[in-house]
Amino acid sequence: MDISRAGLRIERIANCDVFTGMGIKTPWGRLYGGQTIAQSLLAACHTVPDNYPVHSLHSYFILAGSCEKSILFDVERVRDGGSFMTRAVKAKQDNHTICLTQASFHKPEFGMEFEVSLQDRLRQLGVEEPLPPPE
């Protein structure tokens, strides 16, 4: 198994919204933050239907983590709405939170398109000359 797959592997505990994983070994002996965020997001993804892709993600590092210890990912189902689902994930080691992640998932929806091209907006404003190309 390559390092990327091994580094993202998490396991669900007892059919709950709790997962465990390990950090990859680093020369500095601490967890790599990007991996912790990726595992937190993966844990959150396991609690939403497949048709709800990630809409936004925010993470906050609280404490340094050790790559020698397992990580517990505790997922809270903050809200399950018709269009959006929100998850909060606490990544913990030794019962201390090392990283907090909040993820929002949004079901794709059809609706009106509001984007107006720059040229159309300039015409609406009465500007007829095209913009000069960037230098």
Side-chain angles (χ1 to χ4, degrees):
M1 175 178 290
D2 67 31
I3 194 166
S4 63
R5 287 184 182 214
L8 294 179
R9 184 176 35 212
I10 60 172
E11 295 179 20
R12 183 175 241 143
I13 298 176
N15 241 3
C16 297
D17 291 344
V18 179
F19 303 82
T20 60
M22 288 295 297
I24 57 174
K25 296 215 182 298
T26 62
W28 55 90
R30 294 188 176 176
L31 289 174
Y32 173 60
Q35 180 196 11
T36 306
I37 292 171
Q39 288 174 311
S40 295
L41 177 59
L42 187 57
C45 287
H46 282 306
T47 67
V48 300
D50 289 341
N51 63 331
Y52 280 76
V54 179
H55 175 257
S56 68
L57 177 81
H58 302 274
S59 291
Y60 305 92
F61 294 106
I62 310 301
L63 294 171
S66 168
C67 58
E68 300 294 326
K69 299 176 183 177
S70 64
I71 310 163
L72 182 83
F73 299 94
D74 186 5
V75 181
E76 177 186 353
R77 295 177 186 236
V78 176
R79 182 171 189 277
D80 286 343
S83 297
F84 289 90
M85 293 186 171
T86 306
R87 299 293 184 262
V89 182
K90 287 183 183 178
K92 296 180 169 188
Q93 284 185 326
D94 295 330
N95 208 31
H96 296 286
T97 301
I98 60 171
C99 181
L100 291 171
T101 299
Q102 295 178 334
S104 174
F105 299 84
H106 180 236
K107 181 171 63 175
E109 298 177 295
F110 294 103
M112 296 179 65
E113 295 293 329
F114 293 100
E115 185 175 348
V116 177
S117 74
L118 176 60
Q119 292 300 325
D120 288 345
R121 183 64 182 136
L122 289 174
R123 279 189 214 99
Q124 290 172 353
L125 295 172
V127 178
E128 296 297 328
E129 294 294 318
L131 294 174
E135 293 181 21

